[in-house]
Amino acid sequence: MPDLSHHINRKSKARQPSPLKDIIKFMGQDGMISLAGGLPHPSLFPVEQANFNCITPLAPLHGEGNGSRSAGETADLTIGRDLNGGGLDLTQFLQYGSGAGNRQLIDLCKQLTDKVHTPPATYDCILHPGNTNAWAKVVGLLCEDDDYVLVEEYTYPSAQAHWIPLGIRAAPVSADADGIQAIHLNDILEGWDEAKMGARRPRVLYLVAVGSNPTGITISAARRREIYELSVKYDLIIVEDDPYYFLQYPGYNPSAQTTSTFKAKEPSDFIGSLIPSFLSLDIEGRVIRLESFSKTLFPGLRLGYFIANPTFIERLLRATEVETQDPAGLSQAFILSLFGNWGVDGYLQWLQRLQFQYQTRRNWLLDAFYANFVVLPAAESPVADAQGLVACIKSQSDQSLRPVFSFVDPGAGMFVWSEFYFEGVTRFAEIEKEGGEDPEQAFAGELWKAWATELVLLTPGSYYHPWQGKDKTTTKARGAVARTAHFRFSFATPTVEQIATGVERVRSVVDRYWV
Amino acid sequence: MPDLSHHINRKSKARQPSPLKDIIKFMGQDGMISLAGGLPHPSLFPVEQANFNCITPLAPLHGEGNGSRSAGETADLTIGRDLNGGGLDLTQFLQYGSGAGNRQLIDLCKQLTDKVHTPPATYDCILHPGNTNAWAKVVGLLCEDDDYVLVEEYTYPSAQAHWIPLGIRAAPVSADADGIQAIHLNDILEGWDEAKMGARRPRVLYLVAVGSNPTGITISAARRREIYELSVKYDLIIVEDDPYYFLQYPGYNPSAQTTSTFKAKEPSDFIGSLIPSFLSLDIEGRVIRLESFSKTLFPGLRLGYFIANPTFIERLLRATEVETQDPAGLSQAFILSLFGNWGVDGYLQWLQRLQFQYQTRRNWLLDAFYANFVVLPAAESPVADAQGLVACIKSQSDQSLRPVFSFVDPGAGMFVWSEFYFEGVTRFAEIEKEGGEDPEQAFAGELWKAWATELVLLTPGSYYHPWQGKDKTTTKARGAVARTAHFRFSFATPTVEQIATGVERVRSVVDRYWV
């Protein structure tokens, strides 16, 4: 494994371990009386017991059926204090933690990591309070102010909202239906002109590689290998922010019934069905994986974990000690007691149920696309160079097909990313003629308002434009395709009826503009 | 109220609100179908109910008595989902929050603030995941790299461990038994030489103003008014990190029995007995108060709140959105349901019990000092310029009193800070003669090891030295008093027997060296 410590930035390098660590070694000694501690007294925590009523992995979901469940379909997870023998002792979760997190919970995270990813290089884990904070800590570990960070062509806005104020800019890598293109990544790195760009060549590649938010794209296995090879060639660190990893779906089939029934696979078959993570390819320890329980259990836990090489983990721990300390104790206790009841295999069953649920919702949305538009494979569509599928409408005058938007069947995650085509739309032509700075965004804004007036909301694609600096915000300056704009559809929360009606409303506004 | 926005640093100023905020306004509209959300579906959170078994404010503590409690001494706090009518709905605490925190909980924090501090200026509150993170966010709000921060003469090491790597240095303000000295604060600010110091005049004063860690000192009411006036004169922001505010004790009386019994005052009398906070003096909105439930409920909650002027709160919220999001949902639900059961007045009773418990522990430690040393008021002691009380031993040869250490009766908090006198200690004189760089710290280290060998641990004072740069780390370079060094005694967790034995062990090593 190569030494990657040169990636640690100036501030992170300067962090010192707490001198209290020296004392802690002595504290465990037989008969030692410590007048050196700084912790409050545990008899003064007013909680005696925590109990969580949870469902078992295959029980009816919350709100499903009549709400009553049979015996064995729920489990009472009870965490008491000063237990004799078995069980978790609640006291340790009420007290200050160690920074890294509860040792048993870290071991569980490692067990999951080994089972799901079998990382080829030495790694370590520490807990973090959610991927938002995890990414902020990674920026604090690796980036100098004014660096460039390599990101997907469209990227998660909260991630960049953190680093834009630091002066960091995005170097976006263009993508096709298989994810970011290795050839383009190579071009950027090979041709990097430090003088022209005013910054060193990027060293960090940030990816939501499965069911990307917003594009829904999952980077293919072959593409992953090419990207990893480039990361070795150009000494990159890959930050794999992967909240949707377990929400991978088989391809949508418009002629199949969406109401198939759920059947759990064997845990190993389930794991085998998932695309290999970057971590699983990482022979050199240059992947930092951000894991989260937000999408698999619930977001309010504010708990996830880092997987990275031990050098990086040690520095992340130093940052954790002074920036956040370890995640909330009740969250740590909850997860440990849930796994105590479910087991890792039960968790892997539960993940399959989630996968099935979100897959069904993905189907609802694409069903609605097929019901409201004529959907064609890109190659058979009237649009040159489209990716995936193109949703068209039939012209009322000559029955010809007019393209409205293209999209890629999201093989994972919660979103469908759509590229709308404004070519030939009369109102867009008018706006273009007015000579504004960014006619595409002006018309996209008008379209968004028309939809909102019809009572359907989409997310404007502009939220996901990588920040390349103040002079690169318009469609033209960004180098985006002229006469197009993007919108994101989410299928995670609406009902099947809402999705059907919502897409009808989208269509009714399209009918008005795309006449 | 003056405009204090010039205190916001460059990076914090550059933070933008999330564009998603624009959409949220539309989401509440009647009949709106949102395909714009990014949240997971709440039916897929596997928890049905959380229950916390808590004690009532005046019930026996954990581990007290035989462990069984009578009816009415415990309360089951149950938080379910989809409640009809009353109660908290657990679902909102499982889902992503708003960044600021649950609205009801923020209202509760404001209610507590009004009741305890009645701030004279307009303020706002948002939640944070503990004071460690809160302080990191305040540094992110106010400090530029390479600034100086005004701190107490001895300061909390984790606070500075965060900013030392940023290049920030400490400008320590010397203190007496009433806390940092206004006259010295004025000297530092009046005489600040930007060219010589290589940085602008400090603008941030960081204080643990009640029961300071490590010194145990509480800044007196009169001193507080002087310091606040200086903050107006020199345009300072005061950061009041105040975890021990409710742990204020009447002065120690060596001739009183420590085993008095607890009696709760009326809530308003209790509040009236507490020293006025800086917040309560803050007519200009220049105090940022960091509140925490870590010492009053339990640390594992990782939950506290900021109180500050609305301009600062808005910026802290922007940082919260991209750095941490709001605290863990189970912690928020716990506090709300506990207050639902206890009421604010019940909480104020509970705080008095804590106060009494820690006061008793403070007494145990000072009892042990009096049992093992001859303790004299500084003015009657053999040490010139000592503060508070001086612990002496009787010389075996001539029965004269030899000073060992001075300390101030800690009127609050969990710690006693001691200044040891090495004058006339033979072993120290030897070390001094060897001509090392810092004989005081060398001997303090030897003393610490001798205690550890005798099975008692104190915290070395060096942990609390403010960081003034690499060239100012020795006793001499720091300008500290020659032939002295500090140690911190903690009385929060050891038993009365451990404290008695621990101080005996301290004394036995003293006997060996102070012959």
Side-chain angles (χ1 to χ4, degrees):
Chain A
M1 237 169 82
D3 179 3
L4 297 171
S5 58
H6 58 280
H7 281 280
I8 297 167
N9 71 19
R10 192 172 52 84
K11 289 176 183 172
S12 178
K13 273 208 183 88
R15 290 203 189 285
Q16 300 292 331
S18 162
L20 286 166
K21 298 274 173 290
D22 304 339
I23 297 194
I24 289 170
K25 283 183 290 187
F26 287 86
M27 285 190 181
Q29 233 172 290
D30 259 2
M32 184 63 83
I33 291 177
S34 174
L35 305 176
L39 304 182
H41 200 282
S43 69
L44 303 173
F45 304 152
V47 195
E48 287 296 298
Q49 196 181 76
N51 175 288
F52 301 100
N53 182 249
C54 292
I55 62 169
T56 50
L58 301 179
L61 299 170
H62 180 78
E64 228 176 44
N66 61 6
S68 67
R69 297 201 176 83
S70 11
E73 291 187 334
T74 63
D76 267 313
L77 313 176
T78 298
I79 311 150
R81 294 180 70 174
D82 301 337
L83 301 167
N84 300 321
L88 289 173
D89 177 5
L90 183 60
T91 303
Q92 62 186 314
F93 300 101
L94 303 179
Q95 188 55 281
Y96 283 105
S98 68
N102 178 280
R103 185 41 54 189
Q104 268 182 279
L105 185 48
I106 294 174
D107 288 345
L108 173 67
C109 295
K110 286 183 177 171
Q111 199 188 332
L112 279 171
T113 303
D114 287 337
K115 193 151 186 154
V116 177
H117 304 286
T118 32
T122 310
Y123 73 91
D124 209 343
C125 287
I126 58 168
L127 305 188
H128 62 65
N131 279 9
T132 297
N133 181 258
W135 170 240
K137 285 199 184 115
V138 167
V139 171
L141 174 75
L142 301 175
C143 298
E144 302 288 357
D145 294 356
D146 308 320
D147 266 0
Y148 276 83
V149 172
L150 294 157
V151 298
E152 294 158 85
E153 194 173 1
Y154 299 97
T155 188
Y156 180 51
S158 292
Q160 58 176 9
H162 174 66
W163 49 253
I164 292 170
L166 310 183
I168 296 174
R169 284 155 294 176
V173 187
S174 63
D176 58 22
D178 284 335
I180 61 163
Q181 294 173 287
I183 191 165
H184 187 225
L185 178 60
N186 188 64
D187 286 350
I188 292 172
L189 293 166
E190 195 175 59
W192 193 265
D193 181 339
E194 215 168 290
K196 190 181 139 204
M197 301 303 284
R200 61 182 184 173
R201 198 172 71 194
R203 299 146 64 112
V204 176
L205 171 59
Y206 172 77
L207 293 174
V208 180
V210 172
S212 183
N213 183 356
T215 67
I217 290 174
T218 297
I219 303 178
S220 69
R223 191 63 61 77
R224 282 165 190 251
R225 282 187 290 273
E226 290 170 34
I227 293 167
Y228 189 79
E229 272 169 33
L230 290 176
S231 80
V232 173
K233 180 174 171 191
Y234 291 105
D235 189 21
L236 300 180
I237 302 301
I238 299 176
V239 185
E240 185 172 38
D241 181 0
D242 212 352
Y244 310 110
Y245 184 71
F246 296 105
L247 305 182
Q248 297 179 33
Y249 323 123
Y252 172 77
N253 179 350
S255 52
Q257 294 288 351
T258 56
T259 51
S260 63
T261 49
F262 170 69
K263 210 174 146 276
K265 294 187 181 82
E266 283 301 309
S268 57
D269 291 342
F270 171 54
I271 290 167
S273 74
L274 302 171
I275 201 154
S277 64
F278 278 100
L279 181 70
S280 72
L281 308 175
D282 183 24
I283 50 175
E284 297 206 326
R286 51 177 74 252
V287 171
I288 301 179
R289 205 175 143 82
L290 313 183
E291 293 279 0
S292 167
F293 290 106
S294 289
K295 304 295 193 294
T296 63
L297 295 174
F298 58 90
L301 284 171
R302 304 282 79 224
L303 201 158
Y305 52 102
F306 291 105
I307 309 168
N309 69 60
T311 308
F312 287 177
I313 289 289
E314 188 272 343
R315 290 287 94 188
L316 290 167
L317 176 57
R318 293 289 88 78
T320 301
E321 286 164 352
V322 295
E323 287 176 5
T324 59
Q325 302 197 20
D326 54 344
L330 294 174
S331 297
Q332 296 191 52
F334 171 82
I335 294 177
L336 267 174
S337 59
L338 185 77
F339 274 85
N341 184 274
W342 284 10
V344 169
D345 283 355
Y347 180 62
L348 292 168
Q349 284 184 323
W350 171 253
L351 294 174
Q352 294 180 69
R353 293 197 72 192
L354 288 185
Q355 182 195 45
F356 179 78
Q357 286 286 330
Y358 285 110
Q359 178 190 333
T360 304
R361 290 166 182 277
R362 188 269 318 257
N363 293 350
W364 291 347
L365 181 61
L366 299 201
D367 285 351
F369 283 180
Y370 277 81
N372 285 278
F373 297 93
V374 179
V375 179
L376 299 173
E380 299 165 26
S381 81
V383 191
D385 302 327
Q387 295 284 336
L389 299 156
V390 179
C392 305
I393 51 171
K394 244 187 198 131
S395 157
Q396 283 165 344
S397 47
D398 63 1
Q399 297 293 303
S400 68
L401 285 177
R402 299 195 51 190
V404 180
F405 65 93
S406 65
F407 64 98
V408 173
D409 169 17
M414 301 183 169
F415 309 109
V416 174
W417 184 239
S418 63
E419 181 172 23
F420 275 70
Y421 300 110
F422 299 157
E423 184 76 52
V425 173
T426 314
R427 176 63 190 136
F428 174 71
E430 282 171 26
I431 292 175
E432 220 177 11
K433 216 177 261 174
E434 285 164 15
E437 210 187 15
D438 194 343
E440 285 84 355
Q441 284 307 307
F443 181 60
E446 184 172 324
L447 203 52
W448 190 89
K449 281 199 191 107
W451 281 324
T453 306
E454 291 295 320
L455 298 176
V456 61
L457 297 178
L458 303 184
T459 315
S462 58
Y463 293 6
Y464 307 95
H465 293 163
W467 175 255
Q468 301 174 74
K470 279 184 193 157
D471 54 332
K472 290 191 177 168
T473 59
T474 64
T475 303
K476 199 169 168 184
R478 288 188 303 109
V481 180
R483 302 181 178 178
T484 66
H486 291 83
F487 293 93
R488 190 192 74 170
F489 291 79
S490 164
F491 53 80
T493 43
T495 61
V496 63
E497 294 80 14
Q498 285 171 328
I499 286 178
T501 309
V503 176
E504 270 169 32
R505 290 174 184 173
V506 168
R507 159 76 199 244
S508 76
V509 170
V510 162
D511 280 345
R512 219 187 301 150
Y513 281 101
W514 268 255
V515 278
Chain B
M1 236 169 83
D3 179 2
L4 297 171
S5 58
H6 58 281
H7 281 280
I8 297 166
N9 71 16
R10 192 172 52 85
K11 288 176 183 174
S12 178
K13 274 209 181 88
R15 291 204 187 286
Q16 301 291 330
S18 162
L20 285 165
K21 299 273 174 288
D22 304 339
I23 296 192
I24 289 171
K25 286 184 289 190
F26 286 87
M27 284 190 182
Q29 233 171 290
D30 260 2
M32 184 63 83
I33 292 176
S34 174
L35 305 176
L39 304 181
H41 200 282
S43 69
L44 304 173
F45 304 153
V47 195
E48 288 297 297
Q49 197 181 75
N51 176 288
F52 302 99
N53 182 248
C54 292
I55 63 168
T56 50
L58 301 178
L61 300 170
H62 179 79
E64 230 176 40
N66 61 6
S68 68
R69 298 201 177 81
S70 12
E73 292 187 334
T74 63
D76 267 313
L77 313 176
T78 298
I79 311 151
R81 295 181 69 172
D82 302 339
L83 301 167
N84 302 320
L88 290 172
D89 177 5
L90 184 61
T91 304
Q92 63 186 312
F93 300 100
L94 303 179
Q95 189 55 282
Y96 283 105
S98 69
N102 178 280
R103 184 40 56 188
Q104 268 180 278
L105 185 48
I106 293 174
D107 287 346
L108 173 67
C109 295
K110 287 183 176 171
Q111 199 188 329
L112 280 171
T113 303
D114 287 338
K115 194 151 187 154
V116 177
H117 305 286
T118 32
T122 311
Y123 74 90
D124 210 344
C125 287
I126 58 168
L127 305 187
H128 61 64
N131 279 9
T132 298
N133 181 258
W135 170 242
K137 284 197 183 116
V138 168
V139 172
L141 174 74
L142 299 176
C143 298
E144 302 288 356
D145 293 357
D146 307 319
D147 266 0
Y148 275 83
V149 172
L150 294 157
V151 298
E152 294 158 84
E153 194 174 359
Y154 299 96
T155 189
Y156 179 52
S158 293
Q160 59 177 10
H162 174 66
W163 50 252
I164 293 170
L166 310 182
I168 295 175
R169 282 155 297 175
V173 187
S174 63
D176 59 21
D178 284 336
I180 61 164
Q181 294 174 288
I183 192 166
H184 187 225
L185 179 60
N186 188 66
D187 286 350
I188 292 172
L189 293 166
E190 195 176 58
W192 192 266
D193 182 339
E194 213 168 291
K196 189 181 140 207
M197 302 301 285
R200 60 182 185 174
R201 199 173 69 195
R203 301 147 61 116
V204 176
L205 171 59
Y206 171 77
L207 293 174
V208 179
V210 172
S212 183
N213 183 356
T215 68
I217 290 175
T218 298
I219 303 177
S220 70
R223 192 64 63 75
R224 282 165 191 251
R225 282 187 291 272
E226 291 168 34
I227 294 166
Y228 189 79
E229 272 169 35
L230 289 176
S231 81
V232 173
K233 181 174 170 193
Y234 292 104
D235 190 21
L236 300 180
I237 301 302
I238 298 176
V239 185
E240 185 173 37
D241 181 1
D242 211 353
Y244 310 110
Y245 185 71
F246 296 105
L247 306 181
Q248 297 180 32
Y249 324 123
Y252 171 76
N253 180 348
S255 52
Q257 294 288 353
T258 56
T259 51
S260 65
T261 50
F262 171 68
K263 211 174 145 274
K265 296 188 181 81
E266 283 301 307
S268 57
D269 291 341
F270 172 55
I271 291 167
S273 74
L274 301 171
I275 201 154
S277 63
F278 278 100
L279 181 70
S280 73
L281 308 174
D282 183 24
I283 51 176
E284 297 206 325
R286 51 176 75 253
V287 172
I288 302 178
R289 207 177 140 80
L290 313 184
E291 294 279 1
S292 167
F293 290 105
S294 289
K295 303 296 193 296
T296 64
L297 296 174
F298 58 90
L301 284 171
R302 304 284 76 224
L303 201 157
Y305 52 102
F306 290 105
I307 309 168
N309 70 59
T311 308
F312 287 176
I313 289 289
E314 188 272 342
R315 290 288 93 188
L316 289 167
L317 176 56
R318 293 289 89 76
T320 302
E321 287 164 352
V322 296
E323 286 176 8
T324 58
Q325 303 196 20
D326 53 344
L330 294 174
S331 296
Q332 296 192 52
F334 172 82
I335 294 178
L336 268 174
S337 60
L338 185 77
F339 273 85
N341 184 275
W342 284 10
V344 168
D345 283 355
Y347 179 63
L348 292 168
Q349 285 185 322
W350 170 252
L351 294 174
Q352 294 180 68
R353 293 198 72 193
L354 289 185
Q355 183 195 44
F356 179 79
Q357 287 287 329
Y358 285 109
Q359 179 191 330
T360 304
R361 290 166 181 278
R362 187 269 320 254
N363 294 351
W364 293 345
L365 181 61
L366 298 201
D367 286 350
F369 283 0
Y370 277 80
N372 285 280
F373 297 92
V374 180
V375 180
L376 300 173
E380 301 164 26
S381 82
V383 191
D385 302 330
Q387 295 285 336
L389 300 156
V390 180
C392 305
I393 51 170
K394 244 186 199 131
S395 159
Q396 284 164 341
S397 48
D398 62 2
Q399 296 293 305
S400 68
L401 285 176
R402 299 193 52 186
V404 181
F405 66 92
S406 66
F407 64 98
V408 173
D409 170 16
M414 301 183 169
F415 309 108
V416 175
W417 184 237
S418 63
E419 181 172 21
F420 275 70
Y421 300 110
F422 299 158
E423 184 75 52
V425 173
T426 314
R427 176 65 191 134
F428 173 71
E430 282 172 27
I431 293 175
E432 220 177 10
K433 216 177 262 173
E434 285 163 14
E437 212 187 12
D438 193 342
E440 286 83 356
Q441 285 306 306
F443 181 61
E446 185 172 322
L447 205 50
W448 190 88
K449 280 198 194 108
W451 281 324
T453 306
E454 291 295 320
L455 299 176
V456 60
L457 297 177
L458 302 184
T459 315
S462 58
Y463 293 8
Y464 307 94
H465 294 164
W467 174 256
Q468 302 174 74
K470 278 183 196 158
D471 54 335
K472 290 191 177 167
T473 58
T474 64
T475 302
K476 198 169 170 183
R478 287 188 303 110
V481 180
R483 301 179 179 181
T484 67
H486 291 83
F487 292 92
R488 191 192 73 170
F489 291 79
S490 165
F491 53 80
T493 43
T495 62
V496 62
E497 294 80 14
Q498 286 173 326
I499 286 178
T501 310
V503 175
E504 271 169 33
R505 290 175 183 172
V506 168
R507 159 79 198 243
S508 75
V509 170
V510 163
D511 280 344
R512 217 185 305 150
Y513 281 101
W514 268 255
V515 278

